[in-house]
Amino acid sequence: MGSVLSDLKGIDKLFYKTMLKDLFSDTCTVKFWDGEEVIYGEGDSKFKLILHEPIPKADIIADPSLAFGEAYMHQKLEVEGDIQKIIESLYHNLDSFLGKNNMSTKVAKKISNNIKKSKKNIQHHYDIGNEFYKLWLDDTMTYSCGYFESDDDTLTQAQKNKVNHILKKLNLKEGQTLLDIGCGWGELIISAARNHKVKAMGITLSSEQLSAVKKKIENAGLDDLLEVKLMDYRELKDRKFDRIVSVGMIEHVGKDRLHEYFSNINNLLNAGGLSLLHCITGIRNNEGGTNSWIDKYIFPGGYIPNYRELIGHMAKEEFYLLDVESLRRHYGRTLENWAKNFEQALPLIQKSKDEVFIRMWRLYLNACAASFNCGKLDIHQFLFSKNINNEIPWCRNYLYQS
């Protein structure tokens, strides 16, 4: 029996040596389970991979993202070096085995996210606990891409910049009504009410976020202008709004529900009203996708749409597309900040989370940073109107005036 296992590991090792030969764009060292170390590339090694045991070849071929992600989570695979840089080195080598199989996104299997399933999926990620997110998010508790106006901007400033940038695009007027679909911890609706005197409503599927937002509204003394509810956007009936915003929410909708999202926006928006959609977008030619490891462990039921899909749905609802902006590099920097904060908060995180959870989140934050930095993923803001809106300033200068 021992001889058979030894032979099988020998076959696995040969497969690994062949695969690793041209896997990364940088020189690296690989230490195998039997202690052998091999340097791949020329010059100084930039990082080291340690394989404590073989990962089944069939698993790697079938789904490299899931196979390597689980191996890292369960300490079958160890790394010495910067995880983000290691993944970027992998992405930069487009001719490698994994580069051709694209570890960042796959075409998504059809998953129908009805209201019940959507609530369950959101709670899986966002109801981990407000205290956990407080440890590594910024002071505003904003869990989406920041907007860095200068290299000196802190993460908190970048998040305030982002909210301000969105509210300027919406061209808000005092007394207007605003709906925030997926309001998170409430920074956007609170800023809208405080700075633009609009009546804003936030909706979320996270009970943890709901309680936190209610407390923030009360502390800000903005109860007369703000309301927040625990509900799915599809449950909102008999209401109309002058402005609708959604930041980082449509990624949870699912491919077969995108039409439903834009149809509901059409029903909820007043004629001449504006809507801003801020979301991650895929870079595949014609369709979006998902990452199987992230789908299983981080965002179940998620789907990253291609920008062509989104614009197509806007056209079907006869919306007028007014502005499109990519913030890809901004999200890379945001994620780098989160990953750094996560490591700094590790002693506190370890008090309530086990090693598998910690390694899972470490990989998630660093892999996402690498994906945006290398152009495997993008993020866009789309501004569109229902019917004609002739009140928007003629030029974009107003977006950049303090």
Side-chain angles (χ1 to χ4, degrees), residues 53 66 86 153 160 211 222 235 291 320 328 358 366:
E53 60 181 86
L66 188 60
I86 293 171
D153 281 346
K160 290 181 178 179
S211 61
L222 295 170
E235 298 173 304
N291 177 281
Y320 284 81
R328 178 184 63 81
I358 289 169
N366 282 278

Side-chain angles (χ1 to χ4, degrees), residues 7 21 25 54 83 154 156 174 202 208 220-221 245 327 344 364-365:
D7 289 343
K21 184 178 180 182
S25 59
I83 297 178
T154 63
T156 296
E174 184 174 343
E208 287 280 316
V245 64
L327 301 180
Q344 290 176 343
Y364 157 61
L365 294 172

Side-chain angles (χ1 to χ4, degrees), residues 102-233:
N102 195 354
M103 286 185 70
S104 59
T105 56
K106 287 192 169 193
V107 176
K109 56 186 178 181
K110 192 170 183 179
I111 301 173
S112 187
N113 287 328
N114 55 32
I115 292 176
K116 183 178 179 180
K117 188 166 187 178
S118 292
K119 288 180 179 178
K120 182 179 179 182
N121 289 340
I122 293 300
Q123 289 164 0
H124 172 89
H125 187 85
Y126 294 96
D127 283 350
I128 296 173
N130 290 335
E131 295 306 313
F132 168 68
Y133 286 103
K134 282 180 182 177
L135 293 175
W136 53 273
L137 290 179
D138 70 294
D139 295 340
T140 70
M141 287 287 284
T142 303
Y143 188 27
S144 55
C145 174
Y147 187 67
F148 293 86
E149 294 181 355
S150 77
D151 288 337
D152 297 327
D153 281 346
T154 63
L155 181 57
T156 296
Q157 185 60 53
Q159 295 294 8
K160 290 181 178 179
N161 293 344
K162 185 268 301 295
V163 168
N164 186 47
H165 194 52
I166 288 174
L167 297 180
K168 281 186 176 181
K169 284 186 177 183
L170 288 170
N171 197 36
L172 295 170
K173 307 296 182 185
E174 184 174 343
Q176 287 183 331
T177 53
L178 168 69
L179 170 65
D180 185 356
I181 301 176
C183 65
W185 282 276
E187 179 68 16
L188 190 145
I189 58 172
I190 290 172
S191 295
R194 179 183 288 134
N195 300 327
H196 298 274
K197 302 296 185 286
V198 300
K199 295 181 179 180
M201 177 183 185
I203 58 176
T204 177
L205 291 177
S206 167
S207 57
E208 287 280 316
Q209 290 180 341
L210 177 74
S211 61
V213 177
K214 283 186 172 181
K215 192 172 294 184
K216 288 175 74 173
I217 291 172
E218 183 180 349
N219 292 339
L222 295 170
D223 303 76
D224 58 327
L225 292 176
L226 296 175
E227 61 178 316
V228 59
K229 291 187 177 182
L230 186 71
M231 67 187 306
D232 189 286
Y233 72 97

